[in-house]
Amino acid sequence: MASVTFIEEKSNYGIPSELKKGKRNLTDEEIAVLVYNRNRNSDPTWKNILVSENPGDFNPELIFESEFRGWTVLGRMKNAKIKFHDLELETGIYHSCLANVLLGDDCVVRNVTYLENYRIGDRVMLFNIQEMSCTNHSKFGNGILKKGEPESNRVWIGVGNENGNRSVLPFESMIAADAYIWSRYRDDKLLQEKFLELTEYGNSKKLDTFGTVGNDAVIKNSTLLKDAKIGASAYIKGAFKLKNITVLSSEEEPSQIGEGVELVNGIMGYGSRAFYQAVAVRFVIGRNCQLKYGARLLNSVLGDNSTISCCECLNNLIFPFHEQHHNSSFLIASTVCGQSNIASGATIGSNHNSRSPDGEMFAGRGFWPGLCSDFKHNSYFASFVLVAKGSYTRELNIRYPFSLVACGGVDEPLHIIPAYWFLYNMYAIARNRTKFLARDKRLVKVQHIETDPFAPDTMQEILVALNRLIELTGRYLIDKNEPGAVRAETRDSLLQIAKDYLHHHPEADFELFDRDAQKKCGARIFKPVKAYKEYRKILKYYAVNCLMDYCKLRNISALSENEIETLKKLPLYTKWVNVGGQVLPEERLNELFDQIKSGAIQNWQQVHAFYDDCQSCYGSYKIAYALYLLEWLYSRSVSQFTKEIYTDIEKDVIAVSDEIYDSVIISRMKDFDDDFRMITFRNSREMDAVIGSIGTVTENNFLSDIKKSTREFKRSLKLLFKELCGDKEVKAISQEDELLWK
C-alpha cells in the first residue's frame, strides 16, 4: 500500500553554481512587493531566489499569489505580453508553485499548480498545468540506467515479436535503420552486447537530471508532465499524461501534442504530431509523423513520414512512409518496410498458428493489404505486394514482388499474379516514384530513404521471382511430359529448358503451382509467361535508368567501351538489404557490424556516419549492379554484347517507358470515360464541377511532368548505346512519337 512520507523543510538552497552567473539576490524592497502580492516562500529570507542583475530586468509586480520552494533562478521579467495563436498572456508568475526551477527571459508561468526541477528556456508559456515535475534519475525515454538502478528498470521496446526477443533500447537519435539492425541479427551475441554499449555511450549515470523546455515552447491546459524533455517551439495543449519522454522539436520543425494524448516511455521525433486521445507507450516516433484519433502505438518504432490514426499497433517495427487509418485495423508483431498502406479492417497478426505468442510477419516496402484482410503468423511478403480482400487462414510466403495475391477459398491454393503492377497498375508505380518525395517534409534527413520502386532491393527480389518461375516451369514441363524436360539429366539442364520455353512461347497461357507460397495448400501462379517477360523488361529498364543517370553525372550522352571498362572497375555488390528505408549492400552492412564489434565504432552517431558514407556511394553501387543485371539477363559479359543485344535492350526499355506513360493517361482518363462515374451526377457539367474536367486532368502537373520526362528519357535512350553499337548517327525520334507528344 502506498504511503506518504513527511519531509521537514531545510534551508539549503543548493543553487547550481553555473546558474548564478549574471544573477543577484532580491532587494528588501522587492521582497516586500512579493510578500504584498501574497507570494509565499519556504525560505523566510528569500535568498533562495536569484534574478537578473541587469538594471530594470526584474519587476516583482509580475509575480502574484505564487509559492517558492527549494531554489528559483529567474531570467528577464519585464512588463510584456506573449501571444501564441489566440492565447495572449502577460509575462510573469501567477498562481503557481515553483521548486528548483530555472526560468528564462520573458516567460509566462500561470496556474501551474506544481513545477519542480525544470529548466525553462526563453519566451515559454506554461498555462493551466496540474503537475510538471522531474526526478533526478529521469532518462526521458532513453533506454539507459542511472547509478544504483537494477537492470529491470531499463525500458525496452519489444518490436517485431511479442515475446520480447527482438527488443531494442530507445535512444534520442534512434532511426528506423538502428532499430532494424538491432532487432534482426539476434544470433550474433557480441553484436547485441555492443548495441547496448553504443546506447550507454556518454551516460554519466549521475543522479543529476532535470526537465527542460526549449525556447518559444507553449504548454497549456495539461494534466501531467513528469520526467519530460520538451524541445524548442513545441506546442502542447490539453495533454493528459506525458511521462518519461523526449519531445524533439525546433523552430524549423516544431512538434505538437494535442487533447487527451498520453505518451509514456518514449521519444517523439522532430516535426511530429499527436492529437485526439492518441496513446503511445514504449515507443520511438520518427520525424514528421502523425499519431491521432485514438490511435494506440505500443512497443513500436515508427519510421519518418508516417501516419497512424484510429487503430492499434503492438510490437511493430515500421519503416518510413507508412499509412494506417480507420477504427477496425490493427497491426501486431510485424516488421513492415515502409511505403505501405494498411486498409480498413485489416487484422494483421490477428492470431497465431503456434502454441505461444511468438509469431511475426515481415513485409517488404509497398505492402498493401485489401479491406478486411486478415493474416496469420508467420508470413512473409516481398516488396509491393497487393493483397486482395480475404481471410488468409494459413501462413503465407510470397516471394513475387509487385504481385497480386488473392484468397482461393478455405483450404484452397492461393491465386497469385506475379508482376501484376507492371501488367495492370503502372500508374501506381509511376505515382509512387514521385508522391513520397513530395510528402517528405523533413528538413534534416538523418534516415536515408529509397522511395523509387525500382531499386536494388526490388531488383534483387525480381531475380528471385524469375528463378522461381523458371524452376516451377521446369516442373510443369515434366508433368506435361515435355520430351526435353523429361530427358533432362541435371537440374541445370532442366532449368535451361524451362528458360528457353518461356522465351520461345511468349503467348503460352498456363498455370504453375507453387507449394511453398502457402502452408499446406500452396498457390496457383497465373500468367507466368507474361510475368516472366515483364520482370525481365523491368530489370532492363532499371539498369538503363542507372546508366543514363551515370551519363548525366558525367555530362556525356553515350557510353563508350572506355566508360564500360571504368564502370567494370566499380565495386560490385549483388546482395542488398533494406535497412530502415535505406538500401545497403549486405557486405557493407557486415562491415559495419565488424567495426562495431571491434570497437572502431563506439556510438550511434558514428553508426549514422557510416550510413551517410554508404549513401554517398549509393550511385556507384547501383551502376555496377546495373551492369551485373544486364550480364545476368544475357548470360554473358557486357564486353561480349552485340548490336543486336543493345537493340533488344532498347526495344524493351522503350516499351516499358511507353507502358508507364500510356497506363498513367489511361488510368486517369477512365475516371471520366466510365459511364458508372456519371450515375451520381445530374449532368456532365455537375460532374466537371465536382471532380474536374478532362482538360484539368491533362494539365495536371504530374501528367505534364511524366509526359516531359518520358520524351526526354526516349531521346537519351536513343543516344545511350550508339557508340557501343558503332553507329555514327542516331535515328531521330519517330514521326509517330512526335505526334504523340504534340
Side-chain angles (χ1 to χ4, degrees):
M1 181 177 178
S3 61
V4 177
T5 303
F6 175 76
I7 301 175
E8 185 177 356
E9 192 71 47
K10 298 180 180 179
S11 58
N12 180 14
Y13 313 132
I15 302 176
S17 58
E18 68 272 14
L19 304 184
K20 296 179 180 179
K21 185 177 180 180
K23 305 297 180 181
R24 63 171 177 82
N25 291 115
L26 297 171
T27 65
D28 292 340
E29 292 78 8
E30 291 168 339
I31 294 173
V33 172
L34 292 173
V35 172
Y36 181 79
N37 285 344
R38 297 190 293 279
N39 295 294
R40 298 172 56 198
N41 195 331
S42 61
D43 177 16
T45 68
W46 292 81
K47 291 183 178 179
N48 60 340
I49 296 180
L50 299 181
V51 299
S52 173
E53 65 182 11
N54 295 329
D57 269 3
F58 176 68
N59 182 358
E61 294 286 357
L62 302 179
I63 302 177
F64 188 78
E65 289 189 344
S66 294
E67 180 181 353
F68 297 90
R69 296 170 47 204
W71 54 264
T72 302
V73 178
L74 302 178
R76 183 174 61 230
M77 191 173 290
K78 302 171 64 173
N79 290 75
K81 290 184 178 180
I82 299 181
K83 183 176 182 180
F84 183 82
H85 295 170
D86 294 329
L87 180 64
E88 182 176 312
L89 298 173
E90 294 179 345
T91 58
I93 303 171
Y94 307 91
H95 316 294
S96 301
C97 176
L98 282 68
N100 301 332
V101 173
L102 167 67
L103 200 64
D105 295 340
D106 304 316
C107 292
V108 174
V109 179
R110 183 183 288 268
N111 300 340
V112 180
T113 307
Y114 186 71
L115 175 60
E116 180 183 20
N117 195 23
Y118 264 83
R119 300 192 182 183
I120 313 297
D122 300 334
R123 299 171 303 280
V124 170
M125 300 177 72
L126 304 179
F127 177 57
N128 288 349
I129 301 172
Q130 287 190 20
E131 179 184 345
M132 187 170 172
S133 62
C134 181
T135 60
N136 65 356
H137 55 79
S138 175
K139 277 78 70 177
F140 307 113
N142 291 276
I144 59 176
L145 292 178
K146 291 294 186 176
K147 183 178 179 181
E149 288 188 315
E151 188 64 32
S152 59
N153 279 18
R154 199 185 293 276
V155 174
W156 291 86
I157 302 179
V159 301
N161 197 302
E162 287 182 89
N163 69 1
N165 287 335
R166 290 196 185 277
S167 294
V168 301
L169 290 176
F171 52 91
E172 192 170 304
S173 61
M174 173 176 268
I175 57 177
D178 305 327
Y180 175 81
I181 62 174
W182 197 334
S183 67
R184 300 308 298 183
Y185 298 88
R186 309 304 287 196
D187 53 319
D188 193 331
K189 292 184 178 180
L190 176 58
L191 181 64
Q192 294 295 316
E193 292 171 2
K194 289 294 183 179
F195 285 146
L196 193 150
E197 292 179 15
L198 297 183
T199 306
E200 285 282 2
Y201 182 88
N203 175 23
S204 69
K205 296 185 180 294
K206 294 181 179 179
L207 302 176
D208 58 357
T209 53
F210 48 84
T212 60
V213 179
N215 295 343
D216 302 296
V218 176
I219 306 174
K220 67 177 186 179
N221 302 326
S222 297
T223 304
L224 173 66
L225 287 87
K226 186 176 181 64
D227 297 341
K229 179 179 179 181
I230 311 298
S233 301
Y235 179 35
I236 300 173
K237 58 174 180 176
F240 171 64
K241 183 179 184 180
L242 307 180
K243 183 177 180 181
N244 190 31
I245 67 163
T246 293
V247 178
L248 298 171
S249 180
S250 67
E251 182 180 357
E252 297 77 16
E253 295 177 284
S255 295
Q256 296 185 29
I257 298 174
E259 291 82 357
V261 170
E262 184 173 356
L263 304 179
V264 180
N265 296 337
I267 296 163
M268 183 175 180
Y270 288 93
S272 290
R273 295 159 293 282
F275 297 125
Y276 313 125
Q277 290 78 46
V279 176
V281 180
R282 293 182 181 254
F283 66 92
V284 171
I285 297 174
R287 279 181 137 95
N288 188 39
C289 292
Q290 294 190 67
L291 195 68
K292 54 188 180 180
Y293 301 125
R296 300 173 300 286
L297 183 73
L298 312 176
N299 265 301
S300 296
V301 174
L302 182 65
D304 298 352
N305 301 311
S306 296
T307 298
I308 290 182
S309 64
C310 303
C311 52
E312 179 182 32
C313 287
L314 281 75
N315 301 98
N316 298 298
L317 170 55
I318 301 173
F319 290 10
F321 291 111
H322 176 82
E323 296 290 321
Q324 185 171 353
H325 312 279
H326 315 295
N327 277 317
S328 57
S329 60
F330 64 88
L331 189 67
I332 293 178
S334 302
T335 298
V336 183
C337 294
Q339 297 165 47
S340 39
N341 194 312
I342 309 301
S344 178
T347 54
I348 298 171
S350 54
N351 63 28
H352 304 266
N353 283 355
S354 67
R355 276 76 179 168
S356 61
D358 58 359
E360 57 187 64
M361 187 195 79
F362 189 97
R365 60 192 180 104
F367 180 57
W368 199 317
L371 296 170
C372 299
S373 299
D374 64 90
F375 307 94
K376 306 300 180 283
H377 295 141
N378 290 346
S379 289
Y380 177 94
F381 298 89
S383 297
F384 294 95
V385 170
L386 179 63
V387 187
K389 175 181 178 180
S391 181
Y392 297 84
T393 59
R394 301 191 184 278
E395 297 89 332
L396 307 181
N397 183 20
I398 311 302
R399 299 286 173 169
Y400 303 94
F402 302 96
S403 63
L404 171 67
V405 177
C407 187
V410 178
D411 294 329
E412 292 291 330
L414 287 177
H415 294 178
I416 300 177
I417 302 178
Y420 172 86
W421 290 52
F422 308 146
L423 291 167
Y424 305 107
N425 201 17
M426 272 293 194
Y427 174 78
I429 292 289
R431 185 166 176 262
N432 274 356
R433 300 176 74 179
T434 57
K435 74 176 183 181
F436 291 120
L437 291 176
R439 293 176 182 177
D440 192 350
K441 305 302 182 183
R442 301 172 300 161
L443 296 183
V444 180
K445 300 179 180 180
V446 180
Q447 175 66 68
H448 303 289
I449 307 171
E450 175 59 86
T451 58
D452 195 334
F454 301 150
D457 61 329
T458 51
M459 298 304 107
Q460 174 179 256
E461 291 180 319
I462 286 177
L463 290 180
V464 171
L466 281 171
N467 284 327
R468 186 64 175 161
L469 289 174
I470 293 170
E471 181 180 350
L472 295 178
T473 300
R475 295 179 189 174
Y476 165 79
L477 294 177
I478 290 177
D479 293 340
K480 189 184 175 185
N481 291 320
E482 189 75 20
V486 173
R487 291 195 299 267
E489 297 180 354
T490 65
R491 181 177 183 275
D492 288 344
S493 61
L494 175 61
L495 294 178
Q496 186 59 52
I497 290 169
K499 187 175 180 180
D500 292 341
Y501 186 87
L502 290 167
H503 277 286
H504 298 144
H505 297 79
E507 302 303 323
D509 186 15
F510 58 90
E511 295 178 12
L512 300 175
F513 183 76
D514 188 342
R515 66 173 62 92
D516 297 331
Q518 179 184 214
K519 188 174 182 179
K520 293 186 178 181
C521 302
R524 297 166 63 187
I525 309 300
F526 294 89
K527 305 181 185 299
V529 179
K530 287 186 176 181
Y532 179 81
K533 182 179 178 182
E534 289 299 317
Y535 277 146
R536 288 179 61 90
K537 284 163 58 177
I538 292 299
L539 288 177
K540 296 176 190 179
Y541 179 80
Y542 165 78
V544 166
N545 250 319
C546 291
L547 295 175
M548 291 170 66
D549 288 342
Y550 170 78
C551 289
K552 290 178 183 178
L553 185 65
R554 297 268 292 129
N555 197 27
I556 57 177
S557 59
L559 291 171
S560 65
E561 291 184 1
N562 288 336
E563 293 289 349
I564 293 294
E565 287 302 314
T566 300
L567 296 181
K568 291 292 289 181
K569 295 177 183 178
L570 292 172
L572 173 61
Y573 301 105
T574 59
K575 295 182 178 180
W576 303 85
V577 185
N578 182 353
V579 181
Q582 179 179 3
V583 177
L584 291 178
E586 188 177 68
E587 289 182 47
R588 291 303 312 272
L589 192 58
N590 290 332
E591 180 185 331
L592 169 64
F593 295 160
D594 290 340
Q595 291 188 32
I596 292 173
K597 289 188 286 187
S598 69
I601 288 180
Q602 298 181 324
N603 56 58
W604 286 106
Q605 285 68 35
Q606 292 173 337
V607 173
H608 294 174
F610 187 93
Y611 297 152
D612 294 340
D613 178 66
C614 290
Q615 188 67 19
S616 68
C617 301
Y618 184 47
S620 64
Y621 297 160
K622 290 195 296 183
I623 293 167
Y625 189 55
L627 288 181
Y628 166 81
L629 292 175
L630 292 177
E631 292 178 338
W632 184 91
L633 287 166
Y634 291 95
S635 302
R636 69 193 71 186
S637 169
V638 70
S639 60
Q640 298 176 313
F641 280 16
T642 62
K643 182 176 181 179
E644 289 73 22
I645 289 177
Y646 285 119
T647 301
D648 182 67
I649 294 172
E650 182 179 313
K651 180 190 70 173
D652 279 350
V653 171
I654 285 180
V656 173
S657 178
D658 287 344
E659 286 169 11
I660 292 175
Y661 179 79
D662 292 342
S663 179
V664 168
I665 298 299
I666 292 171
S667 294
R668 289 300 285 125
M669 297 303 288
K670 71 181 180 182
D671 290 340
F672 300 88
D673 297 338
D674 190 339
D675 291 339
F676 280 85
R677 292 283 286 178
M678 271 291 299
I679 61 177
T680 60
F681 302 101
R682 292 167 35 254
N683 51 51
S684 59
R685 294 187 300 277
E686 183 185 2
M687 181 177 173
D688 290 347
V690 174
I691 66 174
S693 64
I694 293 179
T696 60
V697 170
T698 55
E699 294 170 4
N700 178 277
N701 288 338
F702 171 62
L703 299 183
S704 298
D705 290 344
I706 200 168
K707 177 178 179 180
K708 179 180 178 181
S709 64
T710 303
R711 178 184 175 89
E712 293 304 316
F713 178 85
K714 294 173 72 172
R715 284 191 183 279
S716 299
L717 182 57
K718 293 287 185 181
L719 300 172
L720 184 63
F721 300 128
K722 71 166 187 172
E723 290 189 33
L724 296 173
C725 293
D727 294 341
K728 294 183 179 179
E729 296 182 2
V730 181
K731 296 179 182 179
I733 289 183
S734 68
Q735 191 173 11
E736 290 81 5
D737 284 337
E738 291 289 357
L739 291 174
L740 168 67
W741 304 122
K742 290 178 182 178

